Amino acid sequence: MEDASIQSVPYPTIKRYPAYLQVLKELKSTGITTVSARDIAERLGLNQVQVRKDLGYSAIIGRPKVGYDIEQLTSALHQLLGWQDPKEAFLIGAGALGSALLGYRGFQEYGLDIVAAFDLDPSKHNTAIHGKKVFPMERVPELAKRMGVLIAVLTVPESAAQECADLLIQAGIRGIWSFSPCKIEVPDNVVVQREELSAGLAVLSVRLSEMLKHENNGPSAPV
Amino acid sequence: MEDASIQSVPYPTIKRYPAYLQVLKELKSTGITTVSARDIAERLGLNQVQVRKDLGYSAIIGRPKVGYDIEQLTSALHQLLGWQDPKEAFLIGAGALGSALLGYRGFQEYGLDIVAAFDLDPSKHNTAIHGKKVFPMERVPELAKRMGVLIAVLTVPESAAQECADLLIQAGIRGIWSFSPCKIEVPDNVVVQREELSAGLAVLSVRLSEMLKHENNGPSAPV
DNA sequence: TTATGTGAACTAATTCACAGCG
DNA sequence: CGCTGTGAATTAGTTCACATAA
């Protein structure tokens, strides 16, 4: 009766975990061994109750007056995220954004190891970008099976997204991190996570416009 | 009495607008002039009522049986987002992620035009990455004022984030799109929007792990 | 009949308020 | 006290159900 496995941790919480891990890592590097929820909250600009609630989904318990053991907490969060051991991934679409991500070593921290890139464009084949070889799309099935790769980062133009996804699915890929803003149809046993870079920019724009607007109206006439 | 300007549009809605714009753009390119909420919803995998509610924040009204005028809707959303005319921006931190973003032309679509890059590392100064010149950080104030730049994309290591932000603020930058997962202290008249690339990856990981787990347990014993 | 538009119901997430522990 | 942990209240967002318009 302790199942609780059908996505018991809310997504907003999951999204905050990587930031928590970052803080823990930084603290650990300074030699500190425990941390309070308040401290984490302050470093990230969050509400401390929210942090406690979030951490509550892990099995580990904090000690009053002391806080949480950093080591324990780190591995608990890694476990909740499925980041115990790094997952190998393919990158599909070696265009501007794709090349960029190939060079970004930050993913390693998040348990993602991009091992190869693929592209439809023959002129890119057998070149290497940031040390990662670029293969023709047709080789995805073969290499995915050989290397046991289950995750793909999809950075192709929208028009090619579904086509590429279909090929990935055939090749046994089970998780697709898509940077295209369109829907991708997949069977039930495949997960698509859409990353909307533009969403954050939209929020920034709006907040900025509103601030500037209020500055012009605000101080004087409230008509 | 028609103020309604104090952030009347909810953030989740704002985050969906860029995707709507993408759909509108695609439809427009095929010569279609109107679109229904249902159509938008289907293309993006959203609920059609949600789309209607979202569009309702714009002044434009849809015609029953016909839908919304694509042209009108596009400019209304642009207006709501403050994307009428492209905003010039600086990129701070020409590391792996920064270089990647410099090469990504997609931002132009979202009204953001990165016009120059800056870095603390002298070895990068006066080089160009993807056609964008890299300047020393010290020149931010001068160039920001000269070009009237108000937005900065911050892709520096966490340890340098606050320091760089301080310099940006001094230089008159009012909006910071930060790719570091740490809090940045700014005065009230500056907006910081944090982009957590790892958040999406975390969600993907969890959804994938859960699916794989259920596959192993699921079909057989529900103990 | 095919669409929009919207009050009402529902669901999810955050925050409050306080109990408990070392 | 300084901290965790959690039920209760609140707020925000989504979805339902239905009125309405062409």
Side-chain angles (χ1 to χ4, degrees):
Chain A
M1 243 283 188
E2 54 167 324
D3 192 65
S5 57
I6 307 150
Q7 176 45 34
S8 53
V9 186
Y11 286 130
T13 296
I14 288 168
K15 289 184 178 174
R16 285 185 291 266
Y17 282 164
Y20 295 173
L21 283 171
Q22 190 76 28
V23 169
L24 294 177
K25 192 182 159 197
E26 195 187 318
L27 288 173
K28 194 186 167 188
S29 75
T30 71
I32 298 174
T33 61
T34 60
V35 63
S36 70
R38 150 116 57 111
D39 194 3
I40 296 176
E42 260 172 22
R43 282 162 189 270
L44 294 171
L46 302 174
N47 180 305
Q48 55 165 312
V49 180
Q50 181 163 73
V51 174
R52 283 208 294 278
K53 279 245 157 87
D54 285 349
L55 300 185
Y57 290 101
S58 77
I60 70 114
I61 51 167
R63 301 220 329 256
K65 179 100 177 169
V66 177
Y68 304 83
D69 180 85
I70 288 179
E71 195 82 43
Q72 278 178 24
L73 193 51
T74 302
S75 74
L77 293 185
H78 269 112
Q79 182 144 21
L80 280 171
L81 290 171
W83 287 359
Q84 302 95 321
D85 30 41
K87 306 257 180 308
E88 297 191 323
F90 285 163
L91 184 131
I92 314 298
L97 184 59
S99 314
L101 296 181
L102 278 178
Y104 182 48
R105 282 167 294 281
F107 293 139
Q108 297 256 0
E109 287 200 30
Y110 308 128
L112 197 77
D113 185 14
I114 297 179
V115 292
F118 297 84
D119 204 294
L120 286 167
D121 177 2
S123 74
K124 290 186 177 136
H125 299 158
N126 302 313
T127 63
I129 300 177
H130 295 290
K132 308 287 166 62
K133 258 194 162 172
V134 182
F135 297 97
M137 278 300 289
E138 305 87 69
R139 295 199 57 195
V140 172
E142 168 208 342
L143 290 168
K145 265 147 210 166
R146 196 161 87 199
M147 307 178 82
V149 169
L150 294 178
I151 297 178
V153 183
L154 191 65
T155 53
V156 300
E158 224 181 314
S159 53
Q162 183 65 56
E163 174 190 358
C164 288
D166 291 343
L167 205 148
L168 292 172
I169 293 160
Q170 266 188 275
I173 293 292
R174 306 297 296 280
I176 298 175
W177 192 18
S178 168
F179 285 74
S180 300
C182 60
K183 185 173 71 169
I184 295 176
E185 300 275 8
V186 296
D188 283 350
N189 65 348
V190 176
V191 172
V192 175
Q193 180 69 26
R194 209 151 72 192
E195 188 72 39
E196 305 256 6
L197 263 190
S198 48
L201 182 55
V203 173
L204 177 67
S205 296
V206 169
R207 291 174 60 201
L208 187 58
S209 320
E210 260 158 21
M211 208 183 51
L212 297 176
K213 186 165 58 183
H214 281 214
E215 249 166 47
N216 294 336
N217 306 339
S220 49
V223 177
Chain B
M1 244 278 191
E2 54 167 324
D3 194 62
S5 58
I6 306 148
Q7 178 44 33
S8 54
V9 185
Y11 285 130
T13 295
I14 289 168
K15 288 183 178 174
R16 286 187 289 267
Y17 282 164
Y20 296 173
L21 283 171
Q22 190 76 28
V23 169
L24 294 177
K25 193 182 159 197
E26 195 187 319
L27 288 173
K28 193 186 167 189
S29 76
T30 71
I32 297 173
T33 60
T34 60
V35 63
S36 70
R38 151 117 56 112
D39 193 5
I40 295 176
E42 261 172 21
R43 281 162 190 271
L44 295 171
L46 301 173
N47 179 305
Q48 55 165 311
V49 180
Q50 181 163 73
V51 174
R52 282 209 294 276
K53 279 247 157 85
D54 285 349
L55 300 186
Y57 290 101
S58 76
I60 70 114
I61 50 166
R63 299 219 333 254
K65 180 98 178 171
V66 176
Y68 303 84
D69 181 86
I70 289 181
E71 194 82 44
Q72 277 178 23
L73 193 51
T74 302
S75 74
L77 294 185
H78 269 112
Q79 182 145 19
L80 280 171
L81 291 171
W83 286 0
Q84 301 95 320
D85 31 41
K87 305 258 181 305
E88 298 191 323
F90 285 164
L91 183 132
I92 315 296
L97 184 59
S99 314
L101 296 182
L102 278 179
Y104 183 49
R105 281 167 295 281
F107 293 139
Q108 297 255 1
E109 286 200 29
Y110 306 128
L112 196 77
D113 185 14
I114 299 180
V115 292
F118 297 84
D119 205 293
L120 287 167
D121 178 2
S123 75
K124 290 187 177 135
H125 298 160
N126 302 313
T127 64
I129 299 177
H130 295 289
K132 309 287 168 63
K133 258 195 163 170
V134 182
F135 297 97
M137 278 299 290
E138 306 86 69
R139 295 198 58 195
V140 171
E142 167 208 341
L143 289 167
K145 265 146 208 165
R146 198 162 83 199
M147 306 177 81
V149 169
L150 294 178
I151 297 177
V153 183
L154 191 65
T155 54
V156 300
E158 225 182 313
S159 54
Q162 183 66 56
E163 174 191 356
C164 288
D166 292 343
L167 205 147
L168 291 173
I169 293 158
Q170 267 188 274
I173 293 291
R174 306 297 297 280
I176 298 175
W177 193 18
S178 168
F179 285 74
S180 301
C182 60
K183 185 173 70 169
I184 295 176
E185 300 276 7
V186 296
D188 283 349
N189 65 349
V190 175
V191 172
V192 175
Q193 179 69 27
R194 209 151 73 192
E195 188 71 39
E196 305 256 6
L197 263 190
S198 47
L201 182 55
V203 173
L204 176 67
S205 297
V206 169
R207 290 174 60 200
L208 186 59
S209 320
E210 261 159 22
M211 210 183 50
L212 297 175
K213 187 166 58 183
H214 280 215
E215 250 167 46
N216 295 336
N217 305 339
S220 48
V223 179

